[in-house]
Structure formats: C-alpha cells, structure tokens
Amino acid sequence: MKVVKFGGTSLASADQIKKAVEIIQADEQRQAVVLSAPGKRDSQDIKITDLLINTHKAKTAGQNYLPTFTKIRARFVELVELLNVTVDIEAELDYIQEKIEQGTTLDFVESRGEYLNSLVMSQALGAEFIDAAEVVRLTVDGRVDPQSYELINERVTKVTGRFVVPGFYGTGPDGEIKSFSRGGSDITGAIVARGINAEVYENWTDVSGILQADPRIVSEAQPIPEITYTEVRELASCGASVFHEEAIAPVRDAGIPINIKNTNSPTDNGTMIVPKRSTDKQPVVGVSGKKPYRILHAEKFMLNRYPELPGQIKDALSQQNLFAEFDMKGFDTLAMLVNSNNDFDTTAASQYINTNTDVDDCSFGMTVALVGIVGAGLSSQTGLLGRMLSALDQNGIEVHSISYGGSQMTALVTVNLEDYEKTLKVLVAQMQS
Ligand code: ASP
C-alpha cells in the first residue's frame, strides 16, 4: 500500500482536484489518502485554514465572524456541487457554526477544513472516510502519540478499498480535538504510513521535490533526486522550509521512504527521502540559510574551567528577549549567533551580560547571515568543502566563520548580511558544476 498526501494547493480549485483524483486513481496501491484543507486558488486568495482561524479570532474578540464564515460556507458548498456528491454540507457547516457560537476551541475550528474536505473527497473517490479523531492521538504538547500507529493499523483491517483520513488533527489526552502545528497534515501522512507500514509515503505538493535552495533566491535551483532523512533535518534546521520536521520521525523509525511529488507534473520523479544514499554523484544536496544574526564575542581566561558560562550568557540574553542559536567555542573565547530580528541596543545588551555573568569581556560584532551547506558527501570527498569555500572567495564573499565537524554532513558559514543571496547562488552553481 502507498500513502498519498495532498497539500492545500493541490486541492484548491476544480482543476487541481481533478488532477489529484487522477493521480490517486492511476495506481491501485494508492489506497490511503490524507488531505489538507483547500488552499489558495490564486495569490489574493486566503487558505480555508486561515479563514477558520480568523473566524475563531473574531468570535473570541466579540466581533462579527459571520462574513468570514460565509466565505468558508460558500467554498464548501461550491466544492460539493462541483464534485456532484451527496454530503449534507449545509448540516455539517451548521454544526460547526453552532460550535463556534458556543465558544469552542481554536483546535476544533481550525481543523474543520481538513475534516470537511476529506468528507467530501472521500465520496468523490468512492473511498471510506476515517475521521482522524478516531485514529490519530496527540500528546498534551501537540506531538504524535505513538499509540496512533496501532489505532490506524487496527482500523484499516476493517477497510476493503481506499480510505481518506483528514490531515492536521487528532484527539488529545483530554478526548478533545487537537491540531498539530501549521502544515501538520504532513505529520498525519507519516503517521498513517507508519501505521499501515506503507511501501512509500507520497507527499504531493506544487513543486517537483525539495530544491537545492530556495527558488525565490536561486532560480536555477534543481530538485534533489535523493536525500536522507537526516539531511532533510539538517537542511530544515538551517532554515529551509521543506517538509514538516515532525513528519520525519514516524516514517524514519520504520525506514519508509517519502517521495515528494508535484501534482502539476506527476511524471517528474520528485525527491526520494530515504534512510541511506550513495553520495558519489551528489555529495552536497542543498544549501539554506537564516538571517539576520549579530555575532556576540565573549572572552574568559581559562574558559574550560567555567563550563557554566555559556548557559549564563544564554540566560542573560533571554532575560533581554534575545536568543543565541549557534555557539562556536575557541580556547578562551566564545562566539554566539544572536537572533537579531528585532533591532536591539547592542551596547546595553553587552553591558548587561558583562554585569550579570562571569565573562571577562563581551561585545557584539557585525550583522551576518548563516548559511548551511548540507550533504553526507562533505566528509567523504576530499577537498570538496575547500572548493566550495574558495568559490565564495573568488566571488568576493568574505566568510567570517566556519563550523564543521559537529555534524559531518553540514558546514555552517557566516557571511555579511548583504552577501546572503549571492552566497546561496555561488554555492548552488558550484554544486551544479
Ligand atoms: N491546513 C493546515 C495549514 O494550513 C495544515 C496543512 O495544510 O498541512 O497549516
């Protein structure tokens, strides 16, 4: 069996739904279907999930939520007409409206896009509808409760053909509907794949896989044919928004490959996320980055005698609403990348650290961007990292720090903020050469 999960853009319009239905029906093994709520039809449009969230917000603030809810109603009524199914959508919507009126939770309201979409689509596909509330369990902090795998497995033994499970939500420990974080339908797909021990988890979206870099910055970025679960995690940690991070664990533990595919170009291979890969052809898989950061330089004579110092500095930072995301340790010096999304007074911040910790001295340096070069082949191909760094140098990009070895598959470099985009472009060109 294969699990197929379709994201919101793959289900936004009549045309997109037609494509998704064709994809599902083209392969008999595509028996488990997981769906997101309908997404944006064009750039001006609003996702159903966002409309639902706005409805809840308006109700909580004592404002009139009906205009927004009417838009949601119209969209589902249109969907039912379009697919020519017999779901009593008005009754379903009336029930949701009644719950909103009674002040139900945000988790319940925001999850209804997936619920309604799956209810309607299951009829259109002639498939059984399995409510995620029945088979998906979440922990108090919104994570996957592993008992979900058993529940799905048992429930699916009673199904003969295809079935549809709504993404994004399940039941919390209190028995109430609880949703995952945004983009969480990916997690549901992974849970179902693990539960039925699927041959593959196909994740259908609007790009032909995970790209080597953010295509809004590097238009030449190509899809990555094959990448490991760990490399995906590393790319995501360096800033790439590729696939919901929490969706990796359920399938990774069972070694089920994930295939990211494009609904608009179904014959493209997309990206295969696998446990292991050969790094010969493609030593580096991708580059991604985060910005802006301020570098904090701290000095302490005999630093190794003060193991508590990094923690002290981090506490002092967080007391000022500042966060260090990456540390680099020298012998008697420490550097930290401090997330500087909000402009802050660097003199006051360093004075605070000087006064409240055991540092000898500290100060903030320049504003930089952090770029991660990710690939399991970095450690096996001699000279590869050196070539990538010299490509940066040849293009006039100054590298302020390099951190490599903590993870053998990721090199982290910092560059001037203004060089951020150029850095990604040069690195991708080097990967493709
Ligand atoms: N509909 C939810 C969201 O927009 C979940 C998902 O699509 O995965 O975040």
Side-chain angles (χ1 to χ4, degrees), residues 5 7-8 36-37 47 49-50 110 114 167-168 181-186:
K5 180 258 163 181
S36 283
K47 283 179 167 192
T49 309
D50 288 314
E110 69 179 359
E114 272 71 10
F168 189 39
S181 52
R182 294 300 302 269
S185 299
D186 280 348

Side-chain angles (χ1 to χ4, degrees), residues 26 84 104 106 169 188 265 268 410:
N84 201 15
T104 188
L106 173 63
Y169 73 95
T188 313
S265 189
D268 288 357
T410 300

Side-chain angles (χ1 to χ4, degrees), residues 212 215 217-222 425 428 432:
Q212 291 168 320
I217 300 173
V218 188
S219 54
E220 299 81 8
Q222 293 293 315
K425 285 183 184 147
V428 169
Q432 293 174 349

Side-chain angles (χ1 to χ4, degrees), residues 156-279:
V156 170
T157 53
K158 297 186 204 124
V159 180
T160 42
R162 274 201 182 97
F163 60 94
V164 180
V165 184
F168 189 39
Y169 73 95
T171 303
D174 58 358
E176 299 294 320
I177 295 287
K178 191 164 176 67
S179 46
F180 289 114
S181 52
R182 294 300 302 269
S185 299
D186 280 348
I187 309 174
T188 313
I191 296 173
V192 174
R194 167 75 176 269
I196 64 169
N197 200 13
E199 176 198 322
V200 61
Y201 167 21
E202 291 181 349
N203 190 288
W204 291 83
T205 174
D206 55 357
V207 274
S208 290
I210 300 175
L211 302 182
Q212 291 168 320
D214 184 341
R216 289 165 302 185
I217 300 173
V218 188
S219 54
E220 299 81 8
Q222 293 293 315
I224 303 168
E226 205 177 40
I227 182 168
T228 65
Y229 304 121
T230 319
E231 286 171 327
V232 171
R233 258 288 295 156
E234 300 257 331
L235 262 187
S237 307
C238 301
S241 58
V242 282
F243 182 69
H244 200 297
E245 282 189 80
E246 269 209 65
I248 305 273
V251 280
R252 180 183 193 265
D253 295 343
I256 300 166
I258 307 165
N259 192 186
I260 313 275
K261 301 265 290 175
N262 189 350
T263 308
N264 302 316
S265 189
T267 51
D268 288 357
N269 292 333
T271 296
M272 272 311 243
I273 309 177
V274 291
K276 261 191 156 168
R277 68 180 184 92
S278 150
T279 56

